[in-house]
């Protein structure tokens, strides 16, 4: 099974119409003249750049969601010390009914359902989406 990168490269080859090498007019002529450079970019530069971006990681939606959860948890703990346990569960019923409590529960459920996003995880997820 091809990797997501290989699938992307195949799609670009199809879009660039590399299989139309026998055509020698208009845009096909330009593509034929630039074919070697484009092949080098597809085979060497693109994979290297993709690996570099995946290594950097950066903030993901999970990081942002985790930060929002921390802010809401701190706000709930200001209202009621001990109102949220170590596992992030709200222990006081009145906090669950508050606006911030409802938002916290909604975000926590979303966070708990989402898989962790590491570089390898993002690549696996993109592979699943390509199927």
């Amino acid at each position: 099974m091809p990797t997501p990168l290989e699938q992307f490269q195949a799609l670009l080859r199809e879009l660039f119409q590399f299989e139309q090498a026998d055509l020698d007019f208009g845009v096909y002529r330009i593509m034929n003249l630039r074919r070697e450079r484009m092949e080098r970019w597809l085979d060497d530069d693109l994979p290297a750049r993709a690996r570099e971006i995946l290594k950097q990681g950066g903030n993901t939606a999970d990081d942002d969601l985790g930060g929002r959860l921390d802010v809401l948890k701190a706000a709930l703990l200001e209202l009621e010390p001990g109102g949220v346990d170590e596992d992030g569960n709200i222990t006081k019923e009145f906090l669950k009914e508050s606006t911030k409590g409802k938002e916290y529960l909604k975000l926590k459920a979303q966070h708990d359902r989402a898989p962790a996003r590491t570089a390898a995880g993002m690549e696996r997820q993109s592979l699943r989406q390509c199927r």
Side-chain angles (χ1 to χ4, degrees):
M1 169 164 282
T3 66
L5 178 63
E6 290 168 345
Q7 289 176 336
F8 183 56
Q9 288 171 313
L11 175 64
L12 288 175
R13 281 190 172 82
E14 182 181 332
L15 291 174
F16 292 151
Q17 298 187 356
F18 282 169
E19 69 277 355
Q20 304 295 333
D22 55 331
L23 299 176
D24 193 30
F25 60 90
V27 72
Y28 297 106
R29 176 174 283 173
I30 296 168
M31 296 298 278
N32 286 333
L33 292 172
R34 305 275 189 248
R35 178 179 310 275
E36 183 180 315
R37 182 176 176 192
M38 292 171 67
E39 287 278 357
R40 188 173 52 246
W41 178 79
L42 272 173
D43 294 335
D44 301 329
D45 299 342
L46 178 65
R49 181 72 176 129
R51 280 190 297 273
E52 179 183 322
I53 289 170
L54 285 173
K55 281 182 188 176
Q56 289 175 357
N59 286 347
T60 64
D62 287 345
D63 296 334
D64 296 338
L65 185 58
R68 289 173 54 202
L69 275 172
D70 290 341
V71 168
L72 283 171
K73 182 177 179 179
L76 291 172
L77 289 172
E78 279 182 27
L79 290 172
E80 177 66 33
V84 180
D85 66 16
E86 290 180 15
D87 295 329
N89 301 314
I90 297 178
T91 58
K92 304 290 182 179
E93 208 51 46
F94 77 94
L95 287 177
K96 291 179 183 178
E97 298 303 318
S98 69
T99 305
K100 288 185 181 191
K102 288 178 183 177
E103 184 179 356
Y104 176 83
L105 290 173
K106 179 181 171 186
L107 289 177
K108 185 173 182 319
Q110 187 179 356
H111 185 265
D112 291 346
R113 284 191 309 268
R117 303 277 200 271
T118 61
M122 286 189 288
E123 190 168 344
R124 278 193 304 277
Q125 182 180 2
S126 65
L127 178 60
R128 283 194 299 270
Q129 289 174 348
C130 290
R131 290 181 188 162

